[in-house]
Amino acid sequence: MPSPSLSKSADLKTLVRDVPDFPKKGILFKDLTPIWQDADAFRSMVDQLAAPYKNSGAQMVAGIESRGLILGAAMAYELRTGLVPVRKAGKLPWKTVKASYALEYGEATTELHEDAVTPGMKVLIVDDLLATGGTAEAAIALVQKLQGDIIGTVFLAELKFLSGRQRLEKLGVPVFSLLQYD
Ligand code: AMP
């Protein structure tokens, strides 16, 4: 059982470490590792992220490399689903579908094994943090290429001022996050 003192998302928030100018100047990086290194906090986080999906019929968690895979693996275990990795181009060994998305400078490509999701499969997409939504949008495109049914996108943290939620909801995909930052 999670300790009562860490049962609320407000308490998890106190553990998040703000790191200015990482990985480059002007970015305030939300370091979530202090949550993961605390046994009670980690358990509380997984419980709270998984709770809304307990009776959702979710069949697969697609975890976005790399931090989304950490959360995604724990959620998949809790929800008794499978886990598939969404990875940067060139990392997956088997045949893949690909989607490109814009970064601040240039473009990145992300991949999913072509047999990771079957048509109609109920999929949850998981990442650690929602910023502009570009990364999650690419993951959505991959699952949709395989005709998966995306029942939600799930994030531990959301930077609301970057409006990623609106971007994903415009695609018809529900968004759930635990820790929100204005
Ligand atoms: P975006 O595609 O803009 O939504 O960016 C989301 C991805 O970038 C996630 O995989 C995050 O891990 C990472 N990310 C973006 N901004 C931050 C931030 N301020 N702190 C921590 N991670 C971030």
Side-chain angles (χ1 to χ4, degrees):
M1 286 290 288
S3 84
S5 64
L6 283 168
S7 61
K8 293 202 295 281
S9 57
D11 300 315
L12 292 182
K13 237 183 179 179
T14 64
L15 295 175
V16 174
R17 183 161 51 198
D18 284 350
V19 183
D21 298 323
F22 183 87
K24 58 184 175 194
K25 215 166 172 40
I27 304 281
L28 183 64
F29 191 86
K30 295 288 178 192
D31 178 13
L32 305 169
T33 61
I35 294 180
W36 304 339
Q37 76 190 51
D38 180 306
D40 289 335
F42 184 76
R43 183 165 284 270
S44 168
M45 173 197 77
V46 175
D47 287 347
Q48 291 181 73
L49 287 173
Y53 304 101
K54 274 279 154 78
N55 298 308
S56 67
Q59 294 168 291
M60 191 63 78
V61 166
I64 299 178
E65 179 184 11
S66 57
R67 290 180 293 269
L69 270 172
I70 295 168
L71 304 189
M75 284 185 68
Y77 182 85
E78 182 66 21
L79 294 171
R80 295 175 181 272
T81 71
L83 172 72
V84 290
V86 174
R87 298 205 63 185
K88 296 185 187 90
K91 300 282 186 187
L92 288 171
W94 186 238
K95 295 173 191 165
T96 63
V97 287
K98 300 179 193 356
S100 293
Y101 60 106
L103 296 175
E104 207 174 335
Y105 303 110
E107 222 186 40
T109 300
T110 189
E111 291 183 294
L112 182 62
H113 276 153
E114 65 177 26
D115 59 358
V117 168
T118 53
M121 181 180 271
K122 290 187 184 302
V123 180
L124 277 176
I125 293 174
V126 178
D127 203 0
D128 65 329
L129 183 139
L130 175 62
T132 66
T135 308
E137 185 174 344
I140 289 168
L142 291 174
V143 174
Q144 287 180 339
K145 274 186 190 181
L146 298 174
Q147 297 170 55
D149 174 11
I150 301 167
I151 59 172
T153 51
V154 186
F155 305 89
L156 174 53
E158 173 182 1
L159 306 182
K160 286 176 72 180
F161 52 92
L162 293 175
S163 305
R165 175 182 290 268
Q166 285 77 356
R167 183 171 176 176
L168 303 187
E169 285 177 347
K170 233 182 251 171
L171 301 170
V173 177
V175 176
F176 173 65
S177 70
L178 211 50
L179 314 177
Q180 282 141 13
Y181 295 89
D182 291 315

